[in-house]
Amino acid sequence: MRLNQLEYFLKIVECGSLTRAAQELYLSQPSLTKAISGLEAEYDMKLFNRTSKGLSLTPEGRDFLEYAKSVVESSKALENTFGKKSNPLIQRLAIASQQFDFIYNILLLLYQENSDQLLQIDLKENDRGEIIDMVEECKADIGILVLSEKDSKLFRSEIQSKNLEMHLLDRSSVYVCMGEKSRFYDSEYVEATEAEQCLHVVLDTEQTFRRELRYKSGQLDGYGYEHVIFCNTIGVCKKFLEETEALLIAHKWVLGVFEGTQIRYVPMFLDGEPYPEVNHLVWIKRANETFHPLENRFMELLEEHFSA
């Protein structure tokens, strides 16, 4: 199949006549007939019913028409985008990330530095499993997520199996976020054992993990989850923290979203000592792919943020 054969096919459909289509295409009628016959032979189907009144599409021809339109339109889009060197290049930055308080300011700074350029910035906030899949499937080029020491080995194995690279950005201890209705609201820290039986808000847990928890009993990262509220946005977490006695166990990279609210956050302690730095903030990319300038600048700003 050649692209021009599909274009000939579409022109015949548009004109409703082989003769008229040949005239508009500046082709001889035998040449046009041969091109269409070649399509029919290649796909082993009859595209047109030929009668004394002209041509009409067969049922298979109607289905073929939709695919032919899609292929020709995609070809034109490629030509319009990449075939004309004079076209201005739109710089694209595609990021898949969990919800963090630092990323918005970095993207704003990146825009301000390039406000005279054509930019397309895509930020998709998802859970960890979706982030890994999006980077692997080229729906995002950079992924940013948190791994705990408990699950880092599993995720490292998955990342390697998908031919992705992983790089460490930062480490964090554990914090307890709460609203005024919590009995810990005026505390300077919360012991892990004290928090175990409280109502918990859990942010950004993978869908498969949530589904498994519905049918199992036990512990969620050491806390009883008879009363657990799973949320996929910070906004929902805020509402439950403000209106209930629930706790949110969090890393430091989301704490900034609570600035200016009545929600407090304090360190979690384990046996009288600050909780270890068990959370690792990492970024991932497809292995052996190089960044373009906008991606490089984003990574520079990201590294600067954590080295400051």
Side-chain angles (χ1 to χ4, degrees):
M1 180 203 74
R2 294 191 179 92
L3 183 63
N4 63 349
Q5 287 176 291
L6 296 181
E7 292 172 336
Y8 296 166
F9 169 72
L10 295 179
K11 178 58 71 173
I12 294 171
V13 174
E14 177 188 333
C15 294
S17 164
L18 194 67
T19 302
R20 196 180 316 149
Q23 290 172 348
E24 293 194 12
L25 291 168
Y26 301 101
L27 288 173
S28 68
Q29 190 166 324
S31 296
L32 186 54
T33 300
K34 182 179 179 180
I36 299 304
S37 296
L39 268 183
E40 292 179 319
E42 182 174 354
Y43 292 102
D44 191 24
M45 67 170 62
K46 187 178 180 181
L47 297 174
F48 293 102
N49 289 315
R50 296 163 174 84
T51 68
S52 58
K53 295 182 179 180
L55 299 178
S56 64
L57 285 169
T58 64
E60 294 87 353
R62 288 195 296 270
D63 292 338
F64 190 84
L65 175 63
E66 298 304 314
Y67 287 96
K69 284 180 178 178
S70 178
V71 171
V72 171
E73 288 170 1
S74 296
S75 175
K76 289 179 179 178
L78 282 171
E79 178 62 25
N80 290 336
T81 302
F82 299 105
K84 299 176 181 179
K85 298 304 181 183
S86 59
N87 282 352
L89 178 64
I90 299 177
Q91 297 189 75
R92 174 180 176 269
L93 178 65
I95 301 167
S97 174
Q98 291 177 272
Q99 296 177 75
F100 301 119
D101 60 23
F102 59 82
I103 197 166
Y104 311 121
N105 286 334
I106 292 176
L107 291 179
L108 178 60
L109 179 57
L110 191 70
Y111 163 74
Q112 291 170 339
E113 291 181 351
N114 297 273
S115 59
D116 59 337
Q117 304 292 320
L118 295 174
L119 301 179
Q120 178 181 333
I121 297 177
D122 294 331
L123 172 62
K124 302 174 180 68
E125 294 181 316
N126 291 297
D127 66 44
R128 295 180 300 179
E130 290 171 330
I131 291 167
I132 293 172
D133 290 342
M134 291 183 72
V135 175
E136 181 196 19
E137 296 166 7
C138 299
K139 296 177 181 177
D141 300 309
I142 298 170
I144 305 173
L145 60 150
V146 174
L147 303 181
S148 71
E149 288 186 348
K150 283 187 177 181
D151 57 22
S152 63
K153 184 175 181 180
L154 173 64
F155 273 88
R156 286 177 189 274
S157 175
E158 182 178 2
I159 286 169
Q160 290 175 355
S161 71
K162 295 178 182 292
N163 198 30
L164 303 176
E165 297 177 9
M166 183 171 70
H167 304 269
L168 179 67
L169 275 171
D170 199 14
R171 293 181 174 86
S172 173
S173 182
V174 179
Y175 296 83
V176 182
C177 306
M178 70 207 83
E180 292 176 321
K181 295 184 179 182
S182 170
R183 63 188 175 94
F184 299 113
Y185 193 72
D186 295 319
S187 303
E188 294 302 316
Y189 63 88
V190 176
E191 273 283 347
T193 53
E194 293 179 309
E196 284 182 0
Q197 300 307 316
C198 293
L199 173 66
H200 286 273
V201 177
V202 180
L203 174 66
D204 207 22
T205 299
E206 286 81 1
Q207 182 177 357
T208 53
F209 188 42
R210 292 197 300 268
R211 184 173 62 244
E212 289 172 2
L213 288 179
R214 291 181 60 192
Y215 301 102
K216 294 181 180 179
S217 60
Q219 297 287 307
L220 170 62
D221 286 342
Y223 307 107
Y225 57 78
E226 289 80 5
H227 301 286
V228 175
I229 302 165
F230 293 105
C231 305
N232 64 356
T233 69
I234 288 289
V236 179
C237 287
K238 283 183 181 179
K239 187 66 175 178
F240 275 94
L241 293 178
E242 290 169 348
E243 301 296 335
T244 74
E245 73 282 7
L247 304 178
L248 169 66
I249 309 302
H251 45 70
K252 66 182 180 182
W253 306 296
V254 298
L255 300 180
V257 300
F258 298 126
E259 297 294 342
T261 73
Q262 56 91 359
I263 295 170
R264 288 193 69 222
Y265 51 85
V266 298
M268 176 175 277
F269 273 41
L270 183 63
D271 298 329
E273 298 291 335
Y275 212 93
E277 292 184 328
V278 294
N279 295 309
H280 299 167
L281 181 68
V282 303
W283 64 271
I284 62 174
K285 65 181 282 289
R286 292 179 293 279
N288 304 318
E289 285 193 8
T290 58
F291 284 152
H292 59 61
L294 191 66
E295 292 169 330
N296 277 326
R297 181 54 180 155
F298 173 79
M299 292 308 307
E300 287 175 3
L301 293 172
L302 194 61
E303 297 283 357
E304 288 172 8
H305 175 80
F306 290 105
S307 63

